[in-house]
Amino acid sequence: MVKAADRAKNPARSSVWLEKRATRGGGGPAGLDRDRIVAAAVRMLDEEGLAKLSMRKLATELGVTAMSLYWYVDTKDDILEYAMDSVYGEIDLAAVDAAEDWQTRIRLLALDYRRMLVRHGWMSPSAGQYLNIGPNSIAVGHKIHDTIKETGLSLDRRPSAMSAVFQFVYGYGTIESQFGRRAAEAGMSQDEFYVDSVNAFRNDPELTDRIEGLREILDERTSHDDLSALWDRDFGYALDVLIAGIEVMVAREAAEEAREAAEEAREAAEEAAEK
């Protein structure tokens, strides 16, 4: 059993996926299993957020006693790890496999990852607290690594390329998700909330001088009626920039390798001529 105290003492090695859980004697509560518990937890997290999840509330949602949950999980942390891995399973790896080139595969992975973060606003703050080594998470990680490998980048450059793309996606999806949450809490659509919040400081006379250089971009962004289309536009173009950057770096590495090979050939030819 991985207890909360154990996680605090050694977070780098604490995970439900590393736990050697003792088998419970007898049978578990009728109609209850881990998949059902996790599905209910994901629904609650989506609707109420991390702070509202508890074993007691989850048991009430499932129509069982809190003690019934302990046949299948030991702590709330266990449930969160299972829930996180469950939503990683929403990324369509089969569609990635069917794509014709690495550029398309990166776009599909990035878009599905972003959508997952937006659908599940609790994922972003949770991701850094756990090892994320469940089967779905690892499968996604494998696919990202394999796709970056296909670019032709050297081994020592691949982690940087993965970070450039997928840390960007993580940040973008996090901001998009949290913005949606704030709009919902304000009882407004995202379009209304965005225009209202921008105008709140754009039209403040005390801020006139400080935002003067930003008026052009602020006017452009608030000229759109559909914020979701703006999210998509900016994300797509930023992703294009990153992919183009990878292509440039691949070409640069190839040119450097060709230059080094030519230099070695020239030196070999000079040595042969001297003999």
Side-chain angles (χ1 to χ4, degrees):
M1 177 188 298
V2 179
K3 298 180 180 179
D6 297 330
R7 290 181 183 272
K9 286 188 294 185
N10 196 357
R13 296 185 59 83
S14 296
S15 171
V16 70
W17 303 106
L18 298 175
E19 175 188 0
K20 303 300 186 286
R21 193 174 191 271
T23 303
R24 301 304 199 249
L32 192 64
D33 57 33
R34 196 178 78 189
D35 288 344
R36 187 176 166 216
I37 292 170
V38 172
V42 170
R43 287 196 304 272
M44 290 185 66
L45 287 163
D46 290 346
E47 293 170 4
E48 302 182 20
L50 277 167
K52 299 291 183 66
L53 182 69
S54 69
M55 298 291 267
R56 180 184 58 79
K57 289 187 69 174
L58 181 57
T60 300
E61 173 73 13
L62 288 163
V64 300
T65 65
M67 288 304 298
S68 299
L69 300 180
Y70 293 103
W71 283 94
Y72 305 97
V73 292
D74 289 321
T75 67
K76 188 173 80 170
D77 285 308
D78 291 358
I79 293 173
L80 284 170
E81 285 198 80
Y82 287 132
M84 289 172 64
D85 198 63
S86 173
V87 299
Y88 270 113
E90 296 173 8
I91 296 176
D92 190 351
L93 300 184
V96 175
D97 287 336
E100 294 182 354
D101 51 52
W102 65 262
Q103 292 91 336
T104 304
R105 280 189 272 281
I106 284 181
R107 288 188 176 93
L108 290 172
L109 283 163
L111 185 57
D112 259 11
Y113 185 28
R114 170 196 162 202
R115 287 171 174 164
M116 180 265 282
L117 290 170
V118 173
R119 277 194 301 268
H120 308 291
W122 50 274
M123 268 295 292
S124 295
S126 301
Q129 299 182 44
Y130 300 96
L131 293 182
N132 296 328
I133 55 173
N136 290 322
S137 176
I138 288 178
V140 171
H142 269 301
K143 198 63 62 180
I144 290 172
H145 174 266
D146 291 346
T147 300
I148 295 297
K149 183 178 180 180
E150 290 175 23
T151 65
L153 284 170
S154 56
L155 179 61
D156 61 326
R157 298 303 186 193
R158 292 175 203 160
S160 299
M162 285 189 285
S163 295
V165 175
F166 292 98
Q167 288 187 23
F168 151 71
V169 178
Y170 175 84
Y172 197 98
T174 298
I175 292 171
E176 186 178 359
S177 173
Q178 295 307 308
F179 186 89
R181 177 187 59 79
R182 290 187 63 195
E185 289 174 350
M188 303 169 71
S189 70
Q190 287 198 41
D191 295 329
E192 293 167 337
F193 189 84
Y194 181 71
V195 172
D196 198 45
S197 60
V198 171
N199 286 338
F201 69 87
R202 186 175 63 172
N203 299 331
D204 188 327
E206 295 185 6
L207 298 177
T208 299
D209 292 340
R210 277 184 272 173
I211 67 170
E212 186 57 39
L214 299 174
R215 287 194 178 277
E216 183 180 29
I217 188 66
L218 290 174
D219 288 343
E220 191 280 330
R221 296 190 70 74
T222 54
S223 68
H224 298 272
D225 296 327
D226 185 354
L227 184 59
S228 64
L230 193 60
W231 284 117
D232 291 343
R233 183 200 72 174
D234 292 349
F235 181 83
Y237 187 76
L239 192 56
D240 285 345
V241 169
L242 291 169
I243 290 172
I246 292 175
E247 291 171 339
V248 168
M249 299 308 292
V250 169
R252 184 179 296 179
E253 283 194 9
E256 179 64 19
E257 290 174 0
R259 186 194 65 76
E260 291 176 355
E263 180 66 17
E264 290 175 1
R266 183 188 64 77
E267 292 175 354
E270 290 177 352
E271 291 177 4
E274 290 175 357
K275 294 179 178 179

